Amino acid sequence: MRLLETDLQVLTRELSLYLEIQVPVGLFGSGVGLSLVLGFSAAFACYYLSSIAKKPQLVTSSESFSRFIQEHCPVVTETYYPTVWCWEGRVQTLLRPFITSRPPVQYRNELIKTTDGGQISLDWFDNNDSICFPDASTRPTILLLPGLTGTSKESYILHMIQQSEMLGYRCVVFNNRGTAGETLLTPRTYCAANTEDLEAVIHHIHNMHASAPFMAAGVSMGGMLLLNYLGQTGRETPLMAAAIFSAGWNVFESAESLEKPLNWLLFNYYLTTCLQSSISRHRQMLEKLFDMNLVMKAKTIREFDKQFTSGMFGYRTIDDYYVDASPCRKLKSIGIPVLCLNSLDDVFSPGHAIPIETAKQNPNVALVLTSCGGHIGFLEGMWPRKCTYMDRVFNQFVQAVFEHGNKICSM
């Protein structure tokens, strides 16, 4: 209670100072005006601290995994204070790409061939200046998987690399086929259910650096793909552990949420056009198998998946594809430690669709659930340009895995 009172006093003081600067001076010429502002500030601070700023829920059935996380990732035990002027999920989701900085990263690109004649673009951040791990053969390596239409240029990927650079680690970004400017050599792109390309990339990296500790982190659809891979492979993977951020757990529920009028206007239609744009440059290759005019008429992600994605990967119906793409169905089979961060106000992954009870049945899985944060938002601080709550979770968990891996792998 005393801590809440202290937080309330601090927040009220900060808001009062902010308002004194922003509100015309004349308003404060009378005691009434000042009293109104102070009263509003106190009421706002009280609401924020009682209803918005909360500690995340940590869900896991394993006492040892829970202790490991609380000891080495203390950020998940602390109250998450979303940015006071944009805590709502949709606002956080919309503003994050524009507010957060874009750290400069120099990549080394590699194109690897696939068994079907295609190619995959990998962007390496070798971190050859690493002081902690000067030997490249044993330098800890993190495979990063961006979201639905994302690449190595996304700001959240750049922030993960920045965090990894400070810790001395190497990163590799897995760009889905056809998204990073490379030529599409076969009429095949990617989806959340088919893990063949991811498996090829994981074994390629492991073969190159077999002595290096190796883990992966996936964001949004990248997290779904990584979860589906882990659910299929169990313990038969070179990865030590994985971190998942803002994954959609049930594709049916995600699609339904994104088709609500406001969410369609803010997110669904835009992402559909991004998907169409990503394949339009490969139109000559893809129109051998698809009616591209029909694909380009899609107005939702579900329509795009029905006309394009599901057929590309051999699904009889879109429902068959969505069942296979939903990670909630494979959660019980995951065989390595996985930390999953979701916000309960994420319209891409609705809170009611997060498989809490299923997660409790697998001691390798831990869910960290915040009340606010949106989709890949997790903004905090008055002006959240440099670091988000998600960045801090990533930083502490990967460091915990690489520096205390003997504890986590013996669970």
Side-chain angles (χ1 to χ4, degrees), residues 216 239 244 257 286 295 302 357 364 389:
L239 299 175
I244 310 292
S257 174
L286 295 171
V295 173
R302 193 196 298 262
E357 295 306 316
N364 293 304
Y389 181 79

Side-chain angles (χ1 to χ4, degrees), residues 8 12 18 24 32 36 48 58 76 96 99 105 121 127 150 158 202 224 228 241 265 291 295 332 351 390 396 404:
L8 180 60
T12 303
Y18 176 76
V32 175
L36 285 173
Y48 176 86
L58 176 59
V76 305
R96 192 266 316 154
I99 291 179
V105 174
S121 174
N127 203 4
L158 299 177
I202 287 173
M224 296 167 64
N228 285 329
L265 183 66
D291 182 345
V295 173
K332 293 180 182 179
M390 182 177 113
Q396 292 186 9
H404 307 280

